[in-house]
């Protein structure tokens, strides 16, 4: 299915900026300035119950900034909690860039969202961003009373490199006997570094995440000596059993499409309940364009439905 007119316009506008990063622009600080969220994009935000910026204890004394969103309707008492990790190739991005998605997730799922402003590469390469995410996971699970949430209904979520960190945090929690996680919401996550897959060949240029750009992201995040570490590359984990159920969103015109499908297969083979939705006519980054793209609204609706189904099941089981 080809890109529709609205998607084509969005892709062209994004590509004007992103095509320069990793090729013409290789300094991360300059790339961050170029991709910073403009103030007008934060005007007229989706109303939520409340928003609070705070810091929580991180690794080695580092204080991790987080932004806590409460939904407009807190009919659940206490509500579930979602730990969200933004995308940006581990190098770009911040809390503001995913403010809109977090507000919508909080309202639509009916959960408190804790958005994590993890340290960025290359200044802080692997495993620093993951350890920040994991510290936020442990803190969130231990502070249910403080957050006024139900930590037994804890979700990890993220898009792109944030999806990588969410998936890796689930692996860490399993292997470290960490907090139980109810669900993984992985939106076109980076789970491998095999640049020879068909989706890299088909979608390697002309889209928001090019083959050159993802290579640049990897080069900044983790050198080749550590990329086989499963906490850097979840696809390379020898065993994916006993992980939380997952919903994976992928896009037809995305270099990551094939690895996301392969990761879903590996999860299923390991006995993990997983749903995968690959959206025709969609591109990497489409999930946040619900105001303009029907396919994004569909993907968001599907994701919310999958999350709520698992959370509702856990509530029903707890009441028996």
């Amino acid at each position: 299915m080809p890109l529709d007119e609205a998607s084509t316009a969005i892709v062209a506008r994004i590509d004007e900026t992103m095509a320069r990063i990793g090729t013409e622009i290789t300094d991360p600080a300059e790339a961050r300035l170029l991709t910073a969220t403009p103030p007008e994009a934060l005007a007229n935000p989706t109303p939520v119950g409340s928003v609070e910026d705070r810091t929580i204890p991180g690794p080695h004394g580092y204080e991790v900034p987080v932004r806590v969103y409460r939904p407009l309707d807190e009919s659940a008492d206490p509500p579930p909690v979602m730990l969200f990790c933004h995308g940006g190739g581990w190098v770009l991005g911040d809390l503001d860039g995913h403010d809109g998605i977090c507000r919508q997730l909080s309202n639509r799922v009916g959960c408190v969202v804790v958005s994590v402003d993890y340290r960025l590469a290359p200044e802080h390469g692997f495993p620093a961003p993951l350890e920040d995410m994991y510290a936020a996971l442990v803190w969130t699970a231990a502070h249910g009373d403080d957050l006024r949430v139900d930590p037994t209904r804890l979700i990890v979520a993220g898009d792109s490199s944030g999806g990588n960190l969410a998936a890796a945090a689930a692996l860490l929690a399993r292997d470290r006997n960490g907090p139980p996680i109810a669900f993984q919401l992985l939106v076109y996550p980076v789970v491998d570094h095999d640049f020879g897959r068909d989706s890299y060949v088909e979608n390697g240029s002309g889209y928001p995440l090019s083959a050159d750009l993802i290579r640049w992201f990897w080069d900044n995040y983790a050198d080749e000596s550590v990329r086989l570490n499963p906490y850097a590359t979840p696809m390379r984990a020898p065993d994916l059993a006993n992980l939380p159920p997952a919903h994976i969103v992928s896009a037809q015109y995305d270099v990551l499409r094939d690895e996301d499908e392969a990761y879903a297969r590996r999860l299923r083979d390991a006995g993990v309940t997983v749903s995968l939705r690959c959206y025709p006519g969609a591109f990497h980054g489409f999930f946040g364009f619900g105001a303009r793209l029907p396919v994004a609204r569909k993907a968001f609706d599907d994701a919310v439905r999958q999350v709520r189904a698992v959370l509702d099941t856990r509530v029903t089981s707890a009441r028996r």
Side-chain angles (χ1 to χ4, degrees), residues 112-201:
V112 170
V113 173
V114 179
S115 184
V116 184
D117 198 13
Y118 55 89
R119 289 171 291 174
L120 297 177
E123 296 89 341
H124 305 282
F126 175 81
L130 174 58
E131 291 294 351
D132 290 351
M133 171 65 168
Y134 187 74
L137 173 68
V138 172
W139 181 89
T140 299
H143 288 78
D145 290 342
D146 178 23
L147 289 168
R148 308 194 312 278
V149 300
D150 178 2
T152 69
R153 294 189 292 155
L154 192 160
I155 308 142
V156 292
D159 69 319
S160 196
S161 59
N164 168 281
L165 296 176
L171 281 167
L172 268 184
R174 181 198 66 180
D175 296 345
R176 293 180 179 177
N177 295 316
I181 296 170
F183 197 75
Q184 305 175 75
L185 174 58
L186 309 177
V187 180
Y188 30 77
V190 184
V191 289
D192 203 1
H193 48 78
D194 181 353
F195 308 130
R197 295 183 187 273
D198 288 347
S199 56
Y200 271 88
V201 177

Side-chain angles (χ1 to χ4, degrees), residues 53-255:
D53 287 338
R54 61 188 297 175
T55 60
I56 61 175
H60 311 298
Y62 174 69
E63 294 288 311
V64 181
V66 298
R67 183 171 292 170
V68 182
Y69 301 82
R70 304 198 75 87
L72 275 174
D73 178 12
E74 284 201 40
S75 55
D77 185 23
V81 59
M82 175 184 292
L83 204 65
F84 186 87
C85 248
H86 68 78
W90 310 283
V91 179
L92 311 174
D94 56 20
L95 298 178
D96 287 344
H98 285 67
D99 182 76
I101 287 177
C102 289
R103 288 170 178 269
Q104 292 182 60
L105 285 170
S106 181
N107 283 339
R108 294 285 307 281
V109 175
C111 67
V112 170
V113 173
V114 179
S115 184
V116 184
D117 198 13
Y118 55 89
R119 289 171 291 174
L120 297 177
E123 296 89 341
H124 305 282
F126 175 81
L130 174 58
E131 291 294 351
D132 290 351
M133 171 65 168
Y134 187 74
L137 173 68
V138 172
W139 181 89
T140 299
H143 288 78
D145 290 342
D146 178 23
L147 289 168
R148 308 194 312 278
V149 300
D150 178 2
T152 69
R153 294 189 292 155
L154 192 160
I155 308 142
V156 292
D159 69 319
S160 196
S161 59
N164 168 281
L165 296 176
L171 281 167
L172 268 184
R174 181 198 66 180
D175 296 345
R176 293 180 179 177
N177 295 316
I181 296 170
F183 197 75
Q184 305 175 75
L185 174 58
L186 309 177
V187 180
Y188 30 77
V190 184
V191 289
D192 203 1
H193 48 78
D194 181 353
F195 308 130
R197 295 183 187 273
D198 288 347
S199 56
Y200 271 88
V201 177
E202 297 167 8
N203 307 314
S205 62
Y207 298 102
L209 184 63
S210 68
D212 287 338
L213 181 56
I214 189 65
R215 285 188 178 94
W216 183 76
F217 283 148
W218 270 114
D219 287 344
N220 279 280
Y221 179 55
D223 61 41
E224 293 188 6
S225 65
V226 297
R227 288 185 195 177
L228 293 180
N229 186 313
Y231 304 129
T233 309
M235 180 68 80
R236 304 307 173 106
D239 181 13
L240 295 177
N242 301 313
L243 288 172
H247 177 65
I248 300 176
V249 176
S250 72
Q252 178 182 0
Y253 297 108
D254 187 357
V255 293

